[in-house]
Amino acid sequence: MSEANSNSEFQTFIEQENQKAAIQAAISKLTETCWDKCVGKPGSKLDRAESECIANCAERFLDSSSFIMQRLMKKQ
């Protein structure tokens, strides 16, 4: 295996790991934001209103993130 090929594979690995980390950070932010917004007093399970709120919050968060990414890509 050539050194250039090895460096290319390493770069690809690093990029993939960075993408994984970014996805994990986004999921963590989504969870924190929606939980804080929708759950007042945690119980043994979510009630219907909390569950619907979390679902709506997650959808809005993902829609907003997608919109922002599309706008950034258009500017480049």
Side-chain angles (χ1 to χ4, degrees):
M1 181 178 275
S2 72
E3 187 173 327
N5 190 21
S6 180
N7 284 340
S8 176
E9 288 179 7
F10 182 70
Q11 279 298 109
T12 300
F13 173 77
I14 294 297
E15 289 173 15
Q16 290 172 345
E17 291 300 309
N18 284 338
Q19 289 173 349
K20 288 179 190 176
I23 291 168
Q24 286 289 359
I27 291 170
S28 178
K29 181 66 175 170
L30 168 78
T31 302
E32 179 182 343
T33 299
C34 293
W35 182 267
D36 290 346
K37 177 181 175 166
C38 298
V39 180
K41 291 183 178 179
S44 60
K45 64 182 192 174
L46 297 174
D47 65 26
R48 182 176 174 182
E50 291 169 332
S51 184
E52 288 176 3
C53 179
I54 289 174
N56 289 331
C57 178
E59 284 184 40
R60 298 296 78 77
F61 185 91
L62 294 172
D63 288 344
S64 298
S65 296
S66 177
F67 175 78
I68 291 167
M69 290 304 294
Q70 289 174 1
R71 295 284 293 186
L72 290 173
M73 292 175 83
K74 284 182 182 178
K75 286 189 175 192
Q76 291 179 347

